[in-house]
Amino acid sequence: DSGVTQTPKHLITATGQRVTLRCSPRSGDLSVYWYQQSLDQGLQFLIQYYNGEERAKGNILERFSAQQFPDLHSELNLSSLELGDSALYFCASSASSFTDTQYFGPGTRLTVL
Amino acid sequence: GIQVEQSPPDLILQEGANSTLRCNFSDSVNNLQWFHQNPWGQLINLFYIPSGTKQNGRLSATTVATERYSLLYISSSQTTDSGVYFCAAPSAQKLVFGQGTRLTINP
């Protein structure tokens, strides 16, 4: 158990819908990262938050947004969903910097029908 | 940004065999992580190894930073070692993953 929790584990929804994925980091970690894993693209970094502030952005679509709350949990919002958004979404946390060891949550498997 | 390449892409072995997985990176790094993704999709940290050698049970890893590669050794493989092994290196404010090595251990 990495100490990072994610909910829900599975999500099935329809095209055009909006969903919210939730992540709680390990105790004491200030940075949260979101990754997308799809069959054709591998593991892709989406976005990083540090202590409530956005720190780095990767290949995140404009339809996607995230935030980190004062209690350090984070949410990833995916809107206007398309079939191609079906993927495994991971949250990871680290003490501070992206060069620190990152610990991954169990992931949320999103299926868009 | 940095390129991370892993080899081989697939490896099929019998239980009890030893294996070596390789990770090459295109630029110098100050951190390298190895992960195991089990058949249920969970990503498990194996090693944080910017340089040198570390061992954890039947697994060990060596990173030669000056030559830009890292090796993951698995000895006396068990069926529970099956899954995909990823290495990842930090670059431009993010962790860049290789494409993985899919390891299948047959009983």
Side-chain angles (χ1 to χ4, degrees):
Chain A
D1 185 356
S2 67
V4 180
T5 60
Q6 287 188 249
T7 56
K9 287 187 179 177
H10 302 275
L11 202 46
I12 301 174
T13 188
T15 54
Q17 296 298 304
R18 173 189 168 96
V19 298
T20 297
L21 313 183
R22 184 188 167 104
C23 167
S24 291
R26 291 189 329 149
S27 177
D29 284 356
L30 298 178
S31 278
V32 169
Y33 311 80
W34 287 97
Y35 293 85
Q36 179 192 58
Q37 185 179 32
S38 57
L39 282 174
D40 56 345
Q41 293 291 322
L43 268 156
Q44 299 284 319
F45 168 73
L46 296 178
I47 197 163
Q48 177 200 356
Y49 277 82
Y50 172 77
N51 205 20
E53 300 289 326
E54 181 186 304
R55 177 165 274 190
K57 246 180 180 177
N59 304 322
I60 188 166
L61 300 172
E62 284 191 13
R63 300 182 286 109
F64 296 179
S65 65
Q67 53 185 328
Q68 186 179 27
F69 295 86
D71 67 352
L72 300 179
H73 91 271
S74 178
E75 292 181 356
L76 179 67
N77 301 296
L78 315 176
S79 61
S80 303
L81 285 168
E82 302 175 359
L83 296 177
D85 297 327
S86 295
L88 197 49
Y89 290 84
F90 286 104
C91 167
S93 74
S94 76
S96 173
S97 165
F98 71 105
T99 59
D100 297 330
T101 301
Q102 293 187 25
Y103 295 92
F104 282 71
T108 293
R109 188 172 296 278
L110 173 67
T111 303
V112 183
L113 301 175
Chain B
I2 197 170
Q3 305 293 316
V4 180
E5 295 182 358
Q6 293 185 243
S7 60
D10 293 280
L11 193 54
I12 302 174
L13 298 170
Q14 290 298 120
E15 205 166 19
N18 301 329
S19 58
T20 300
L21 283 57
R22 188 177 180 103
C23 173
N24 291 332
F25 35 95
S26 61
D27 205 350
S28 57
V29 297
N30 56 12
N31 171 16
L32 187 98
Q33 288 189 243
W34 281 97
F35 297 88
H36 174 216
Q37 187 167 33
N38 64 24
W40 296 270
Q42 190 172 5
L43 270 170
I44 300 162
N45 288 70
L46 296 177
F47 294 101
Y48 173 100
I49 182 164
S51 64
T53 298
K54 288 187 178 179
Q55 179 143 14
N56 184 3
R58 296 180 297 102
L59 274 61
S60 65
T62 295
T63 296
V64 183
T66 53
E67 297 188 22
R68 300 180 185 172
Y69 73 88
S70 184
L71 302 174
L72 178 69
Y73 305 96
I74 305 174
S75 64
S76 305
S77 299
Q78 300 175 359
T79 55
T80 52
D81 295 330
S82 295
V84 183
Y85 289 81
F86 291 99
C87 63
S91 174
Q93 293 292 327
K94 63 183 180 183
L95 207 54
V96 177
F97 284 80
Q99 288 301 104
T101 292
R102 181 174 298 278
L103 178 64
T104 303
I105 305 297
N106 292 320

